[in-house]
Amino acid sequence: MTTTESKRLSGHLGPVGIVFMVVAAAAPLTVIGGNMPLAMGLGNGAGAPVGFLIASLVLLVFSVGFVTMTPHVPEAGAFFSYVSVGLGERMGKGIAVVALIAYTAIQVGIYGYIGWAISDTVAFYDGPVIPWPVYSFAILAIVAVLGYRHIGLSAKVLGVALALEIGIVVILDLAIFADPGPAGITVASFTPDVFGQGAIGIAILFALTGFIGFEATAVFRDEARDPERTIPRATYAAVILIGAFYTLTVWAFVVAIGPDLVVATAQQTLDGEGNMLLDTTDAVLGRIGRDIVNILLLTSLFACVLSFHNVIARYQFVLSRKGLLPARLGAVHDSHESPAFSSVVQTVTAAVIVGILAILGIDPLVGVFGSMAGVATVGMVLLMLTTSVAVLVFFLKNRDLGGGVWNSRIAPVLAVLGLLASLWLVLSNFTLVTGGSATLSTVLAAVPFVGLVIGALLWKPAGATST
């Protein structure tokens, strides 16, 4: 069912199609429903929009060097490929392992989240009580079918889901600004005395978590219409779209609820006594609006898990072509022109992990989603930090390639500094992300670093004999 390893993936994805894939992975509606209350309730309250704005700027600066180096990285593989070119194959292989860990973790976490969310929704409408793993495996089966086929089908599905998801939130934002809450249309969120209160670092932390997956634009290089132009455009568009969406919508919720009430409202959500997203939607758009948002929250989670499935399948595909994974993972399906076998392996991997967690009776939100999101967040920041260093080293070694002082020197240095600060924020507040004990959080936080070391140690020079 698959061709020889020499065949490459192909496709005609433009910037819009790739943006759909990566923005869907960021699951913007899910972030508004989950990360926003955390950023407000545990962070800096009404100043949370500034936390999302800062995270957006850090990732936008990161994207400058990332995009500048793109023409010099003639293969898919995103972080792995960039780090291999900039810092060598050994470090590249270590980063490849980190990427697989991070993406697999967030995908498994989303399977837990969506299983719980569907079960909770069915129960809300007086439906039968069915354990969350049943729904998780049903979604996994659908993702398996879509991921096995050509990328164009997934792009269309994600495009529809994402358009509906963003559309309803835009309507909600407009309705809020047309009829604001008790304080009117206030810009208090952006004043130093407001965003400087509380812990802005925690707001930035949860904002960064909401961007996981945006950098995967480069993974679809072989399926892009014109990689040299499509990948940079898609990367900038994804960061700007996601960042603007988060910042504007979080601010809109401050306007709807009122700066003095958002902390208490967010805390009620964290305590399980309310739902900031759905309750505010009910107040602004009525019960029908609430029901629509509830359904689109589920499609948001589905779009997220489908997007990550495609990303992981392609990462495995690229690593196979580099000789770092079994050769069959690098095969292309004859008719679907997809990494079909890699997709099947990814499905089995996810099914096994979800199955083990379900058998152990792990809570789908705190245990599965919280812990896996924590691992993925550490992994993502580590990936971007290493990539920024790789960009800087590459252009310092290849001064004749140009790139401009800002693009190849200043922006990567600023990105490294910003990501170092971000990594410190993530690690110093890690128990808030995982919801677990300090010991468990330490073990989980160490997983990406251990993966980096193992990957680097297992590297063998070209031509070396494998054991």
Side-chain angles (χ1 to χ4, degrees):
M1 295 185 62
T2 54
T3 67
T4 62
E5 296 177 38
S6 61
K7 186 173 181 179
R8 295 173 62 89
L9 296 176
S10 63
H12 301 283
L13 292 175
V16 174
I18 295 178
V19 168
F20 278 153
M21 299 292 289
V22 298
V23 175
L29 187 57
T30 303
V31 172
I32 296 303
N35 294 36
M36 179 180 68
L38 288 165
M40 289 180 172
L42 301 176
N44 60 339
V50 175
F52 282 85
L53 180 61
I54 292 174
S56 303
L57 293 176
V58 169
L59 299 186
L60 191 59
V61 172
F62 161 80
S63 299
V64 173
F66 185 72
V67 164
T68 303
M69 192 172 169
T70 295
H72 310 291
V73 185
E75 64 179 1
F79 292 134
F80 157 74
S81 299
Y82 285 71
V83 173
S84 294
V85 171
L87 300 179
E89 293 286 344
R90 182 182 295 278
M91 184 61 72
K93 186 171 183 180
I95 283 300
V97 174
V98 175
L100 286 177
I101 289 173
Y103 292 138
T104 300
I106 192 62
Q107 187 195 38
V108 170
I110 294 297
Y111 275 126
Y113 193 156
I114 196 170
W116 171 86
I118 296 176
S119 178
D120 185 66
T121 299
V122 171
F124 179 82
Y125 293 107
D126 299 322
V129 177
I130 300 176
W132 68 267
V134 175
Y135 293 112
S136 294
F137 278 106
I139 295 299
L140 197 150
I142 298 173
V143 169
V145 173
L146 293 174
Y148 188 83
R149 300 174 66 85
H150 190 273
I151 191 65
L153 178 59
S154 291
K156 292 175 182 177
V157 172
L158 292 174
V160 173
L162 186 62
L164 293 173
E165 176 182 348
I166 292 181
I168 189 64
V169 178
V170 169
I171 292 173
L172 177 60
D173 290 347
L174 291 175
I176 289 173
F177 286 112
D179 185 18
I185 300 179
T186 174
V187 294
S189 295
F190 303 98
T191 59
D193 58 329
V194 173
F195 70 72
Q197 293 181 351
I200 189 172
I202 294 178
I204 296 173
L205 183 159
F206 286 109
L208 286 171
T209 305
F211 278 89
I212 294 177
F214 89 92
E215 75 295 333
T217 50
V219 173
F220 300 99
R221 182 183 183 89
D222 290 342
E223 293 152 291
R225 184 184 304 128
D226 181 4
E228 301 298 329
R229 301 175 62 186
T230 299
I231 301 304
R233 290 179 179 178
T235 301
Y236 282 130
V239 175
I240 293 171
L241 179 60
I242 296 171
F245 181 90
Y246 288 162
T247 303
L248 179 63
T249 302
V250 174
W251 176 38
F253 273 75
V254 174
V255 170
I257 299 168
D260 297 332
L261 301 175
V262 291
V263 174
T265 304
Q267 197 59 55
Q268 289 178 344
T269 300
L270 302 183
D271 294 338
E273 298 174 357
N275 187 308
M276 177 179 276
L277 171 61
L278 297 181
D279 293 344
T280 303
T281 302
D282 197 335
V284 175
L285 299 179
R287 178 59 183 270
I288 294 179
R290 183 192 190 282
D291 291 343
I292 292 174
V293 168
N294 197 3
I295 296 301
L296 291 180
L297 177 60
L298 301 181
T299 63
S300 172
L301 290 165
F302 173 76
C304 176
V305 80
L306 173 59
S307 185
F308 276 116
H309 175 95
N310 286 321
V311 169
I312 297 168
R314 280 150 185 80
Y315 242 111
Q316 293 174 161
F317 176 88
V318 172
L319 295 180
S320 172
R321 293 298 180 97
K322 299 289 289 185
L324 304 179
L325 287 177
R328 193 175 180 190
L329 289 169
V332 180
H333 195 280
D334 284 327
S335 57
H336 298 313
E337 297 184 316
S338 65
F341 186 76
S342 180
S343 177
V344 171
V345 170
Q346 209 292 300
T347 298
V348 173
T349 301
V352 169
I353 298 175
V354 172
I356 292 174
L357 295 173
I359 292 173
L360 293 175
I362 306 297
D363 180 82
L365 282 182
V366 178
V368 179
F369 177 71
S371 298
M372 294 298 100
V375 173
T377 302
V378 173
M380 182 198 74
V381 178
L382 181 59
L383 289 166
M384 291 194 296
L385 175 60
T386 311
T387 301
S388 293
V389 173
V391 171
L392 182 61
V393 171
F394 174 79
F395 282 107
L396 287 175
K397 290 182 177 178
N398 300 275
R399 297 176 185 274
D400 56 312
L401 294 178
V405 176
W406 164 253
N407 288 4
S408 63
R409 308 286 196 281
I410 299 176
V413 169
L414 293 177
V416 168
L417 295 176
L419 290 165
L420 280 173
S422 300
L423 184 60
W424 178 82
L425 289 173
V426 171
L427 295 177
S428 61
N429 296 283
F430 200 62
T431 54
L432 295 175
V433 181
T434 63
S437 66
T439 301
L440 175 62
S441 297
T442 300
V443 171
L444 292 173
V447 170
F449 294 96
V450 173
L452 176 63
V453 173
I454 292 176
L457 292 177
L458 291 179
W459 174 81
K460 293 181 179 299
T465 302
S466 300
T467 56

